[in-house]
Amino acid sequence: MGNVMRGVIAFIPSERCQRFLVGDLKEMPLDRTLDLSSRQLRQLPVAACVFDELVKLYLSDNNLSSLPEELHLLRKLQLLALDFNCFEELPAAVCRLPQLSILYLGNNRLYHLPKELQELKELNTLWLETNCFSVFPNVVCELPNLKTLHLGYNQIHSLPNELGRLEELRSIWLAGNELTEFPPVLLEMHFLAIVDVDRNRIQRFPALSHLQGLKLVIYDHNPCVNAPVVAEGVRRVGRWADCSDDDQDDEGSKMASDSPAKVVEVEPQEELHM
């Protein structure tokens, strides 16, 4: 009954109704964290933007499609969670948060990102999974301190060469896209530690043994005829992960000769949760 009541009240913009949804926003939280997740909010009360010492703001799992311009007053904000909302465009005010380092945008309706995103020079973690991207958002390549990029479950077919400029990038998560080949640019990114290309359409993997920083590669659920060759100590998650490279080559060659026009069906394995 509580959720039903919240859903009804969310349509009423009066100050009293807003207080019912978010509580009384009069005092700065002692831990400088404000959690307004799962309140069925359709708009963020401007009162939440007066806490200029706020460091973390959680707005996940609401019905938000816009944010007030006053959001940029949160000059010390480092973490902003906007996942599981209704955003089709990234609000401009988000790009005016100079200390923002972690941005959650997963499970929205985004299909592009504004060029102003490059102003977030401190951003090191960006979550964009389960949106509507059919083309890699090139502005991401202008984020010099980015360390972790989540772009899984979109409809991306390729990665731009400009991605190689991100020398701080250590993990890239691309599961559930439309990649038909292992992105060539990743072969030049020797500093990557984690590469996830699970659930794509890659048929053959190149050798990755030259990537000196690599620790983990996830390639399961691809119609591949081989596993990527990796250096000693690198963990593989996917078919033939526990086989020697010679055993894998023998089996892959046999499969290719027996059914050259057939797509190899990958056996499901337990997914890795990081």
Side-chain angles (χ1 to χ4, degrees):
M1 186 63 180
N3 287 336
V4 174
M5 180 67 72
R6 287 180 182 275
V8 173
I9 291 178
F11 282 95
I12 306 174
S14 73
E15 182 178 347
R16 184 176 179 182
C17 290
Q18 289 296 304
R19 277 203 304 270
F20 177 85
L21 293 174
V22 304
D24 197 357
L25 299 175
K26 289 186 177 180
E27 295 185 4
M28 173 75 186
L30 293 177
D31 60 359
R32 299 197 293 173
T33 298
L34 182 58
D35 189 353
L36 298 177
S37 300
S38 305
R39 305 294 181 94
Q40 301 202 26
L41 293 175
R42 294 182 179 274
Q43 60 184 20
L44 176 64
V46 175
C49 302
V50 301
F51 303 132
D52 56 4
E53 296 292 322
L54 202 65
V55 172
K56 299 178 182 180
L57 176 58
Y58 294 91
L59 297 171
S60 307
D61 190 26
N62 281 294
N63 296 305
L64 298 168
S65 59
S66 63
L67 294 173
E69 277 298 315
E70 289 82 356
L71 184 76
H72 81 274
L73 299 175
L74 302 179
R75 307 290 291 175
K76 296 186 179 181
L77 198 67
Q78 297 176 19
L79 182 153
L80 177 59
L82 299 174
D83 47 325
F84 292 94
N85 275 286
C86 305
F87 292 101
E88 295 183 5
E89 295 185 352
L90 183 64
V94 174
C95 301
R96 299 167 61 191
L97 299 169
Q99 295 191 33
L100 196 65
S101 59
I102 302 174
L103 178 57
Y104 295 96
L105 292 170
N107 291 272
N108 278 284
R109 303 169 186 171
L110 299 168
Y111 61 93
H112 73 96
L113 295 174
K115 63 180 182 180
E116 289 78 12
L117 187 74
Q118 64 184 315
E119 300 301 322
L120 299 179
K121 301 301 183 184
E122 299 302 317
L123 198 65
N124 62 54
T125 302
L126 179 59
W127 291 69
L128 295 167
E129 79 285 359
T130 318
N131 274 284
C132 303
F133 294 100
S134 59
V135 176
F136 185 92
N138 278 356
V139 68
V140 170
C141 302
E142 306 299 328
L143 300 171
N145 288 308
L146 196 65
K147 290 181 171 59
T148 300
L149 176 60
H150 289 263
L151 254 172
Y153 300 96
N154 284 281
Q155 297 91 44
I156 293 171
H157 292 78
S158 62
L159 303 184
N161 290 333
E162 291 80 3
L163 187 68
R165 297 201 298 253
L166 299 183
E167 296 184 358
E168 296 298 318
L169 194 65
R170 295 295 179 267
S171 63
I172 184 165
W173 306 81
L174 298 164
N177 277 285
E178 301 290 334
L179 300 173
T180 57
E181 67 171 350
F182 189 85
V185 65
L186 299 185
L187 297 175
E188 306 299 324
M189 300 177 73
H190 298 267
F191 34 79
L192 281 173
I194 300 174
V195 175
D196 177 11
V197 289
D198 185 22
R199 299 183 186 277
N200 277 273
R201 300 182 180 183
I202 301 172
Q203 296 188 21
R204 182 169 291 277
F205 283 92
L208 305 180
S209 52
H210 65 289
L211 298 180
Q212 299 176 354
L214 194 62
K215 304 296 183 187
L216 170 66
V217 57
I218 307 170
Y219 61 94
D220 208 3
H221 305 100
N222 279 278
C224 54
V225 297
N226 73 316
V229 177
V230 296
E232 185 178 355
V234 177
R235 183 182 178 191
R236 299 186 298 193
V237 177
R239 192 169 192 177
W240 300 297
D242 297 324
C243 296
S244 69
D245 293 331
D246 291 338
D247 291 341
Q248 168 209 298
D249 289 342
D250 291 343
E251 185 177 347
S253 298
K254 181 177 185 301
M255 293 170 62
S257 61
D258 288 347
S259 54
K262 226 177 172 185
V263 173
V264 178
E265 189 174 317
V266 178
E267 298 174 358
Q269 295 186 4
E270 183 179 354
E271 292 186 20
L272 180 71
H273 296 281
M274 300 298 297

